[in-house]
Amino acid sequence: MANGSYEYQKPDSCAFVIFGVTGDLTHRLVMPSLYNLAAANLLPERFCIVGIARGGMPSEKLRENLLEGLRKFATRPVEDEIAKRLLQCVTSIEADPKDPDSFDQLKSRLEKLEANRETGGNRLFYLATPPSGFAPIARQLGRVGLLREDGGAWRRLVVEKPFGTDLASAKALNDELLKLVTEHQIYRIDHYLGKETVQNILVLRFANGMFEPIWNRHHIDHVQITVEEKLGVGTRGSFYDATGALRDMVPNHLFQLLSLVAMEPPARFDAHTVRSEKAEVLAAIQIQSEAEALQNSVRGQYIAGRIGDSGLPDYRSTRDVNPESTTETYAALKLTIDNWRWAGVPFYLRTGKALGLKRTEVAIKFRQAPFAMFSCTPVETLAENYLVMGIEPTQGITLQFNTKVPGPTVRTDGVQMKFNYKDYFQAEPATGYETLIYDCMIGDNMLFQRADSVEAGWKAVQPFIEAWKKAGHHGLQTYTAGSDGPTAAAELLTRDGRSWRKLD
Ligand code: BG6
């Protein structure tokens, strides 16, 4: 993202090695993104894709399997010529971290392939596996020397989410990886950073002169970050029941939004500076005691209801979910940031599944104008001033302000000024992973999480994790699928004299 010549720079020749090549993530996101990059002529000149299959699979079979996935998940009609060009790059190699010898063989086969394809020894290892695979795979790659940067070639490790399940496990994983590679070789993916509307938060704040002077506690009353989903837990019962809404969404996706909104202006638009400012603001989130965490949070679990035309059963009757589960499918938190810009400005975060609407947005609520001047007019209240960054499905920016209602008396009403991306820009349909994968190949890690950010995120949510675990059933709210969440989430704000922004 950092480079001005983004659209034209071709990545260095390299080998793109995928662990988990037959998995969902590869089919849904990785291959469709590589296809889109191929269509835009943004893949390296000399390139090979190595699919690591645990049980072994002939290359031809893997190509067929990937083509099938591509036809299903590509974001645009698949053109035979482009697909052929891409799939010609694919080779299957067998390796399993449980069988260390297989990594010695992987090394020699990969080196031969690299020599054949003249990729220059640059390698990207993409860990598209369940998290339990991250450390064992990296350990084996390290042991056989595949991660060592030598001979002028780069070696990169792309790690998918979730990165740890709490502070201790995230630290342990960072420690383990950092024994094998240096920080600049690790690309921790958070797919939120691949979204144009998320990247635009930086541009909105720092490429315009009018927002930054009022972007502080003197003018902003509070910030709301909302990620609401209509989908229930579906077939992910076993993962989700061990994870819950907080771990699944907050330290990663919601904190990406928070850090972009709350960070100090970076002096330069480069990966180190931007990531340092993001890490700094995450580290400034006030760490709450468990008692404070209980007071400043709401967790809920959905019960049967209807979303649109379809009925959804109780969360607890989802396949692979414990019938007595206390896992939250909804979380709302109140956080504060201990620095000069934000002291006293609450950040309210909420996220949940099986809600009536799909909505991801950041709403900045400005302080109310003094009312005194209107006290001798028919105006009873002023509408709230919001700047709303719509991430999904509304992609755009809305400014809400008061205006005079035409007529002989002074009356006011709240109106909105709206910018919609689609009115101005015609983007090709994309997965959102293209930028991330492209950035891994050109070595720009601005849109990836650094170890310190990941740990600061977990540190801030850890008291909530602990407090909720101890509380068990106690305090767990229920909400009907298709509703707008537990009523207690509204109370989290009303007790502060505030309310969640209603959808337009
Ligand atoms: C994933 C979570 O990381 O993000 C899912 O594991 C969630 O549970 C998804 O549905 C939300 O992503 P998006 O882009 O649809 O907001």
Side-chain angles (χ1 to χ4, degrees):
M1 185 192 180
N3 198 305
S5 56
Y6 165 75
E7 285 178 30
Y8 309 105
Q9 186 186 346
K10 261 197 179 264
D12 298 334
S13 297
C14 67
F16 193 102
V17 185
I18 310 176
F19 287 83
V21 72
T22 51
D24 204 47
L25 182 75
T26 302
H27 288 309
R28 275 179 194 277
L29 294 165
V30 181
M31 286 308 288
S33 305
L34 287 173
Y35 176 89
N36 289 344
L37 288 171
N41 205 18
L42 282 175
L43 285 184
E45 214 48 67
R46 288 184 299 278
F47 186 53
C48 62
I49 302 173
V50 179
I52 306 293
R54 256 190 309 175
M57 186 187 260
S59 294
E60 200 41 52
K61 178 126 187 276
L62 177 59
R63 287 185 205 118
E64 280 165 24
N65 177 284
L66 292 176
L67 181 61
E68 208 176 297
L70 200 53
R71 295 209 188 284
K72 202 155 149 202
F73 296 114
T75 57
R76 54 176 106 170
V78 175
E79 287 180 35
D80 289 344
E81 192 269 323
I82 301 175
K84 199 166 145 208
R85 194 154 33 96
L86 182 66
L87 292 169
Q88 263 170 2
C89 302
V90 174
T91 304
S92 166
I93 299 185
E94 182 178 355
D96 183 343
K98 289 205 188 97
D99 170 14
D101 287 350
S102 65
F103 276 71
D104 294 287
Q105 286 153 28
L106 165 65
K107 181 173 194 246
S108 63
R109 291 195 59 190
L110 182 59
E111 284 171 349
K112 259 187 223 137
L113 185 70
E114 289 173 335
N116 262 337
R117 302 262 179 158
E118 298 175 36
T119 54
N122 297 316
R123 295 174 196 135
L124 187 150
F125 295 99
Y126 198 116
L127 308 189
T129 64
S132 56
F134 299 163
I137 293 171
R139 232 178 275 138
Q140 288 306 321
L141 290 173
R143 183 185 63 77
V144 298
L146 280 170
L147 295 174
R148 203 177 313 121
E149 294 201 309
D150 48 21
W154 51 257
R155 310 280 146 83
R156 296 180 187 141
L157 200 58
V158 183
V159 188
E160 270 292 336
K161 133 176 209 285
F163 198 94
T165 52
D166 58 10
L167 180 58
S169 57
K171 266 191 170 154
L173 184 54
N174 274 331
D175 291 350
E176 176 106 37
L177 296 182
L178 288 166
K179 276 186 212 141
L180 303 164
V181 287
T182 51
E183 179 62 44
H184 80 270
Q185 293 174 268
I186 310 180
Y187 289 69
R188 298 176 193 78
I189 287 207
D190 183 312
H191 79 275
Y192 264 51
L193 288 174
K195 295 180 194 280
E196 290 289 346
T197 41
V198 173
Q199 294 170 21
N200 190 46
I201 298 175
L202 271 181
V203 176
L204 177 80
R205 282 191 61 195
F206 303 128
N208 295 300
M210 71 253 218
F211 297 116
E212 208 41 34
I214 55 170
W215 211 262
N216 55 50
R217 66 197 183 98
H218 302 297
H219 302 277
I220 292 177
D221 177 71
H222 72 274
V223 177
Q224 299 181 8
I225 301 180
T226 300
V227 182
E228 295 178 332
E229 297 183 81
K230 279 164 88 167
L231 292 178
V233 170
T235 53
R236 298 166 76 215
S238 118
F239 160 78
Y240 199 86
D241 207 35
T243 306
L246 179 71
R247 287 181 159 102
D248 189 34
M249 300 295 289
V250 178
N252 35 63
H253 307 327
L254 275 82
F255 278 6
Q256 286 302 332
L257 299 174
L258 179 143
S259 57
L260 290 169
V261 167
M263 70 196 274
E264 291 302 312
R268 277 176 306 282
F269 195 62
D270 64 38
H272 174 74
T273 318
V274 170
R275 297 201 306 170
S276 297
E277 293 299 353
K278 287 175 69 188
E280 189 79 16
V281 77
L282 288 175
I285 296 176
Q286 191 185 30
I287 306 300
Q288 308 194 15
S289 67
E290 286 178 29
E292 287 166 334
L294 279 185
Q295 221 189 348
N296 289 324
S297 68
V298 171
R299 65 197 163 114
Q301 193 182 73
Y302 65 81
I303 52 173
R306 294 196 73 75
I307 303 176
D309 293 338
S310 19
L312 200 67
D314 286 351
Y315 168 72
R316 286 181 188 176
S317 37
T318 310
R319 185 154 56 93
D320 299 328
V321 166
N322 175 355
E324 311 245 312
S325 173
T326 56
T327 299
E328 78 288 352
T329 58
Y330 183 101
L333 314 180
K334 176 182 169 184
L335 301 176
T336 45
I337 296 178
D338 275 341
N339 64 17
W340 274 71
R341 185 186 288 267
W342 296 116
V345 178
F347 280 68
Y348 299 102
L349 278 56
R350 62 177 164 168
T351 183
K353 297 231 179 259
L355 297 165
L357 286 170
K358 161 104 180 141
R359 155 162 76 150
T360 303
E361 67 170 39
V362 178
I364 311 286
K365 164 81 169 43
F366 290 93
R367 287 185 186 279
Q368 198 81 344
F371 188 77
M373 145 182 176
F374 296 101
S375 50
C376 53
T377 71
V379 175
E380 280 173 10
T381 54
L382 293 174
E384 298 177 304
N385 289 150
Y386 273 114
L387 177 72
V388 183
M389 290 163 255
I391 310 293
E392 263 168 358
T394 305
Q395 302 192 330
I397 292 161
T398 303
L399 188 64
Q400 186 170 303
F401 54 96
N402 283 282
T403 196
K404 181 180 175 300
V405 178
T409 57
V410 180
R411 285 188 303 124
T412 62
D413 201 2
V415 294
Q416 293 187 335
M417 227 153 62
K418 291 188 181 189
F419 153 73
N420 278 314
Y421 267 87
K422 61 175 168 26
D423 296 341
Y424 283 77
F425 305 109
Q426 207 65 53
E428 286 276 2
T431 63
Y433 258 56
E434 290 79 1
T435 317
L436 299 177
I437 289 181
Y438 173 81
D439 283 359
C440 293
M441 290 193 289
I442 62 164
D444 178 358
N445 49 19
M446 183 186 295
L447 296 178
F448 297 84
Q449 302 206 76
R450 216 166 56 184
D452 51 353
S453 276
V454 172
E455 290 177 19
W458 280 115
K459 196 168 174 200
V461 299
Q462 195 64 34
F464 296 89
I465 295 178
E466 303 289 344
W468 291 358
K469 191 162 95 195
K470 285 180 195 153
H473 288 273
H474 189 72
L476 178 69
Q477 313 284 318
T478 54
Y479 62 98
T480 309
S483 70
D484 56 4
T487 46
E491 285 152 23
L492 189 67
L493 272 73
T494 41
R495 70 170 195 222
D496 291 347
R498 301 183 170 107
S499 57
W500 293 107
R501 194 185 87 86
K502 297 252 174 311
L503 195 70
D504 305 333

